[in-house]
Amino acid sequence: MDLSFSPEHLAFREEVRTFIASAMPPHLKEKAAADSHFEHDEVMEWHKILHQKGWVAPHWPTEVGGAPLDVTSRFILTEELELAGAPGLSPFGLVMVGPLLIQFGTPEQKKRFLPKILSGEEVWCQGYSEPNAGSDLASLKTRAEDDGKGNFIVTGQKTWTTYAQYADWIFCLVRTDGSAKKQAGISFLLIDLKTPGVTVKPFLTSGGTPAFSETFFEGAVVPKENLVGPLNGGWTLAKALLGHERTLIAAVGASTRAIRKVKRIAARTQKDGQPLLDDPLFRAKIARLEIKLRGLQMANYRAIAGAQLGRAPGPEASILKIRGSEIQQQAYELAMEAMGLASLTWFNEPGVVHPEEQWVPSLFNYLRATTIYGGTNEIQKNIIAKLILGLPER
């Protein structure tokens, strides 16, 4: 298996770098340099810039608005955007429900929803997790009942619906057969968040940003035409969607950028009259993390090479998810260690610390979530044990 980049791919990497340098507005560059939190309007501003370039959904088929890029080029595009600190686009429409509609949606659903996901005219969020059904997703209680008039009546609660307060639509797993085995009685439903009976209540994350919400459904009327895939067949769609999400969480580019930041912080920090970066023990910590990242990068390249040959993401996505989420957390643990006492404040106001360090404590706290969302790392280890190692279930 050849894991090296061809001259054409190296040229494309330069094309992406040049585009980002010229197309990203100065106010976004300033925030990117400090790894600041991007507001929703800023994320959508960048979304529209990438849409005009034709790179907003490069993984979609070209006939529905994707870019004519091969798998490796798409990986390069993602990696360079992460390395530049560009605003991360909302994945719920572009990476999750969009590809699912392309695979399982009706012609009417594709025509109705896909163009507005691409343009950013409609923003999506995910309705999977529930208060008592997080990792055990199939235990969800939110129910959708047939009213006999061509609608479902949806009642229940979703939690951790990221950025639901900015979304127009939510895709939900709902229980449509309470008598069946728990994985067999679930359906995949698209719900307009403006529907009467739907309430979104945002709350702050431990990083101090308004990323998460609780979403309540109290007799919301949803047309049956919003059902994706077969009735009670939603579990198959759910698994397909999670595979894409877990591969995304590998975030090799973001971790590479974070480790570079750690080195710069350590170079500015003095310990016993010398830069912390020259301390052998601290250097050893950075080296161990870089070795882990290099391993993750090679595993990611293997997954990409497999995808280039037409193989869909399999259980290896769980490996990428575990390692990628752990490295993100460990990079910011090192950044906090390098900052010392300056890292103890919840959030550093401008001018208190170096601009690059202002958001480190907030990101450290936010990144505690990476080993939980997208399916906890404990669940991923169960998947690896069963599907890769062939171990028996307990």
Side-chain angles (χ1 to χ4, degrees), residues 8-218:
E8 291 76 15
H9 287 133
L10 293 175
F12 179 71
R13 188 180 289 279
E14 284 305 313
E15 179 185 346
V16 175
R17 289 175 178 171
T18 301
F19 168 76
I20 294 171
S22 62
M24 188 185 292
H27 63 284
L28 296 186
K29 283 183 180 175
E30 184 178 347
K31 281 200 161 186
D35 285 333
S36 298
H37 171 72
F38 290 104
E39 301 296 338
H40 176 69
D41 289 347
E42 294 168 325
V43 171
M44 296 313 298
E45 179 183 0
W46 184 238
H47 178 119
K48 290 172 183 174
I49 291 171
L50 286 181
H51 180 239
Q52 289 175 349
K53 177 66 175 174
W55 285 352
V56 76
H59 50 293
W60 288 21
T62 52
E63 58 269 26
V64 289
L69 300 176
D70 62 21
V71 173
T72 304
S73 296
R74 298 200 298 263
F75 169 78
I76 289 171
L77 175 59
T78 300
E79 187 173 60
E80 288 300 324
L81 290 169
E82 290 178 346
L83 286 170
L89 303 187
S90 173
F92 304 109
L94 298 169
V95 181
M96 298 182 188
V97 75
L100 216 66
L101 288 171
I102 293 169
Q103 185 175 359
F104 297 100
T106 64
E108 293 76 17
Q109 288 171 339
K110 294 175 186 178
K111 183 178 179 181
R112 163 65 184 82
F113 293 110
L114 295 181
K116 293 187 178 182
I117 292 174
L118 278 179
S119 67
E121 187 177 346
E122 289 180 344
V123 178
W124 287 76
C125 62
Q126 182 186 48
Y128 269 24
S129 298
E130 296 190 5
N132 295 309
S135 297
D136 186 13
L137 184 59
S139 294
L140 62 89
K141 303 293 185 188
T142 297
R143 64 184 189 277
E145 299 171 311
D146 190 338
D147 71 352
K149 303 175 184 176
N151 303 301
F152 291 110
I153 306 300
V154 181
T155 304
Q157 178 187 351
K158 299 291 180 180
T159 191
W160 210 339
T161 41
T162 305
Y163 292 126
Q165 68 270 38
Y166 306 123
D168 303 290
W169 285 79
I170 183 171
F171 55 88
C172 279
L173 290 177
V174 293
R175 187 158 300 286
T176 42
D177 185 351
S179 63
K181 288 184 178 180
K182 59 183 184 180
Q183 284 91 350
I186 293 173
S187 298
F188 193 97
L189 202 57
L190 312 178
I191 302 176
D192 186 340
L193 284 171
K194 295 187 294 297
T195 304
V198 180
T199 305
V200 174
K201 296 182 179 179
F203 58 90
L204 293 177
T205 68
S206 61
T209 53
F212 301 146
S213 301
E214 290 180 304
T215 306
F216 299 87
F217 302 91
E218 299 171 289

Side-chain angles (χ1 to χ4, degrees), residues 281-358:
L281 292 177
F282 196 81
R283 292 179 69 87
K285 292 178 181 177
I286 294 176
R288 281 197 289 271
L289 195 56
E290 286 187 314
I291 291 169
K292 291 179 183 177
L293 179 60
R294 184 63 171 164
L296 174 67
Q297 189 178 35
M298 288 298 104
N300 209 353
Y301 285 175
R302 287 188 61 180
I304 294 165
Q308 191 82 49
L309 296 173
R311 292 199 291 268
E316 70 271 20
S318 295
I319 299 175
L320 299 177
K321 196 275 177 180
I322 291 173
R323 210 53 163 171
S325 58
E326 290 175 344
I327 291 173
Q328 287 181 72
Q329 291 182 347
Q330 291 164 10
Y332 273 88
E333 288 169 7
L334 272 186
M336 295 280 281
E337 182 178 339
M339 287 177 64
L341 292 177
S343 70
L344 296 179
T345 53
W346 183 271
F347 175 76
N348 286 299
E349 295 295 333
V352 175
V353 296
H354 189 281
E356 193 175 48
E357 301 170 23
Q358 183 182 349

Side-chain angles (χ1 to χ4, degrees), residues 1-12:
M1 183 176 291
D2 184 6
L3 300 182
S4 60
F5 291 106
S6 68
E8 291 76 15
H9 287 133
L10 293 175
F12 179 71

